[in-house]
Amino acid sequence: MGEPGDRPADAANAFETASGTENETETAGAFEHASETADAFDAESAKELSPEAVDVYGRVTRHEPIDPGRDARALGELRRWGLVITDPHLPHLPIALDPQEAGRRRLDEELRRMAARAALAARIPQLTDELGLHFERAKWRSGRGSEFLGEAELVNARIEQAVGRARAELLTAQPGGPRTGAQRAAAEERDGAALARGVHVRSLYLDTGRDDATTRAFVRAMTGRGAQFRTQVTQFQRCVVIDRRQAFISDHVVNSAPGHASWHVRDRAVVAFIAEVFEECWRRADPWHGDPHSESPRSAGPDGTRTTLLQREILRDMARGIEQRLTAQRLGIGLRSLSKEVRALRQLFGASTLQELTYQWALSDERLIDDRPPHPGRASA
């Protein structure tokens, strides 16, 4: 290896020197050194020609003598601008080049450099957003109160582990669609093991679950083993609460997360709040033992009520002028099911049009029925 003075100190050689020290220094340090050198080179190249360089260029064009030592800095500027070339054997006789051509080349270089920097600047927000998601998730995972679970396998494994350790109570709210056969088998095994340990199991479903044969079979089987089920007409949030010490809830933070993403919550105050939300829904819901919806014509009940909770929810939305599509979405039913209920209501009230139905509902005493929870206290187990 030669002496340091044997090699020119331009940016390309500086980078080469930094890369060549890979076995002697850390790669990060070499890269940092090369980057700093390249930045220094860019900064030097971005400068205008100094008055000394302009003076030397004029002397070169006039074939006046040049001192390679005293004029070295000015000659370096002229070489970087492409205004002179030097014969190594005749360093005191540099040759002047056409400044117009050199200027065009320099302008092209500057425009390319500006375009590259503009592209980098445009990319920065997207890059920081991508990196920020990883950074935020790392903070979420490191927190003691809650943990973000983005993968379906991880969510299922974590729930299985938590339910497997349940000792007193298991609350589940499942507003999703009907269970598949595999899901039913897994849930039956998991919840059945909890019941065998003496865990009190309560599960909440949407009212539309009564129409699914697989879900009905699961509810009948688990009811026979001691579990309790109820259905609710209106939508509710998905959650699993174990012993009121930990809970799993749907994600409402990470916009780009998949639908199965969940949060594992361990903060006792937050878990208690989630459990109380479940209790409020539970008090509103109707008990279910796996029986299907009754197909018999509805008549006045023991208290004189002719409408169901589902029908009253539909009528309330109609009175507010809410579109049936939005009502069906809120209640978790299809438009066909909603239309079927509306036809039954028109027959019940003797209304030939929706406007007349809304009018008859406004005159009905059943619009005064309070479907809120009967009391603010906690329902008994």
Side-chain angles (χ1 to χ4, degrees):
M1 180 179 296
E3 294 298 323
D6 294 341
R7 306 189 65 179
D10 61 313
N13 287 331
F15 183 80
E16 180 182 348
T17 303
S19 301
T21 61
E22 206 167 351
N23 296 330
E24 301 174 4
T25 61
E26 293 292 334
T27 304
F31 180 75
E32 181 179 358
H33 172 70
S35 299
E36 291 175 353
T37 306
D39 289 342
F41 177 73
D42 287 343
E44 186 70 23
S45 299
K47 294 180 180 179
E48 295 184 8
L49 280 176
S50 66
E52 293 80 9
V54 174
D55 177 68
V56 169
Y57 183 79
R59 288 157 53 195
V60 170
T61 59
R62 295 191 298 271
H63 304 290
E64 295 178 3
I66 302 297
D67 187 339
R70 185 183 62 197
D71 299 325
R73 185 179 182 84
L75 286 171
E77 290 184 56
L78 295 173
R79 281 194 296 268
R80 284 192 295 272
W81 275 74
L83 289 168
V84 298
I85 58 174
T86 304
D87 186 342
H89 302 291
L90 300 171
H92 60 290
L93 295 176
I95 301 172
L97 300 177
D98 183 358
Q100 297 297 328
E101 181 63 26
R104 284 192 293 269
R105 287 197 302 268
R106 184 57 180 263
L107 179 59
D108 289 343
E109 291 175 3
E110 291 298 330
L111 291 175
R112 283 195 297 269
R113 186 179 293 109
M114 291 172 59
R117 292 190 179 277
L120 174 61
R123 169 69 175 153
I124 287 175
Q126 180 182 355
L127 178 62
T128 54
D129 285 345
E130 294 175 2
L131 298 178
L133 180 59
H134 294 290
F135 180 73
E136 291 299 326
R137 286 183 176 179
K139 291 198 300 184
W140 295 330
R141 288 191 173 93
S142 63
R144 302 180 62 183
S146 58
E147 179 183 1
F148 177 75
L149 308 175
E151 296 76 23
E153 296 78 8
L154 180 58
V155 173
N156 293 332
R158 194 67 65 83
I159 292 177
E160 292 288 338
Q161 182 184 43
V163 174
R165 296 176 179 175
R167 290 295 175 264
E169 184 182 52
L170 172 61
L171 310 176
T172 63
Q174 303 289 347
R179 289 180 180 271
T180 64
Q183 290 173 333
R184 173 195 167 183
E188 193 167 345
E189 180 180 358
R190 181 196 66 196
D191 295 356
L195 288 166
R197 297 194 306 272
V199 176
H200 183 50
V201 178
R202 285 186 288 159
S203 298
L204 185 65
Y205 289 88
L206 279 174
D207 191 68
T208 53
R210 295 175 182 252
D211 296 325
D212 180 64
T214 300
T215 306
R216 290 200 304 268
F218 169 76
V219 171
R220 285 195 298 268
M222 299 307 295
T223 298
R225 301 170 69 173
Q228 296 182 22
F229 297 87
R230 291 190 181 186
T231 62
Q232 180 172 299
V233 173
T234 56
Q235 273 284 356
F236 50 86
Q237 292 296 317
R238 177 169 61 99
C239 70
V240 178
V241 183
I242 301 98
D243 292 339
R244 299 186 184 249
R245 292 180 174 272
Q246 54 182 322
F248 296 85
I249 59 175
S250 300
D251 170 62
H252 295 284
V253 178
V254 186
N255 295 328
S256 60
H260 56 253
S262 301
W263 286 83
H264 186 184
V265 183
R266 298 183 182 86
D267 185 279
R268 294 292 295 276
V270 178
V271 173
F273 178 82
I274 296 169
E276 187 56 36
V277 172
F278 176 91
E279 293 290 357
E280 183 176 349
C281 293
W282 185 261
R283 289 190 292 268
R284 286 177 177 268
D286 299 317
W288 187 31
H289 304 288
D291 50 301
H293 279 126
S294 174
E295 298 297 334
S296 59
R298 297 185 179 94
S299 59
D303 57 354
T305 302
R306 299 185 301 166
T307 56
T308 66
L309 175 59
L310 174 61
Q311 291 175 334
R312 290 193 293 276
E313 291 285 347
I314 293 173
L315 287 167
R316 288 171 185 136
D317 278 8
M318 288 179 59
R320 298 187 187 102
I322 298 175
E323 296 181 19
Q324 290 188 1
R325 173 181 59 84
L326 299 177
T327 298
Q329 182 178 355
R330 181 177 71 86
L331 300 177
I333 61 176
L335 278 174
R336 182 176 300 178
S337 298
L338 187 141
S339 298
K340 181 179 178 182
E341 294 292 343
V342 171
R343 286 196 300 270
L345 286 167
R346 287 173 57 183
Q347 182 179 3
L348 181 65
F349 283 91
S352 57
T353 64
L354 295 180
Q355 290 80 2
E356 185 179 356
L357 174 60
T358 304
Y359 176 74
Q360 292 293 342
W361 164 250
L363 298 178
S364 172
D365 291 338
E366 295 195 22
R367 68 181 175 83
L368 303 176
I369 294 176
D370 187 359
D371 289 318
R372 293 176 300 178
H375 54 80
R378 178 174 297 171
S380 61

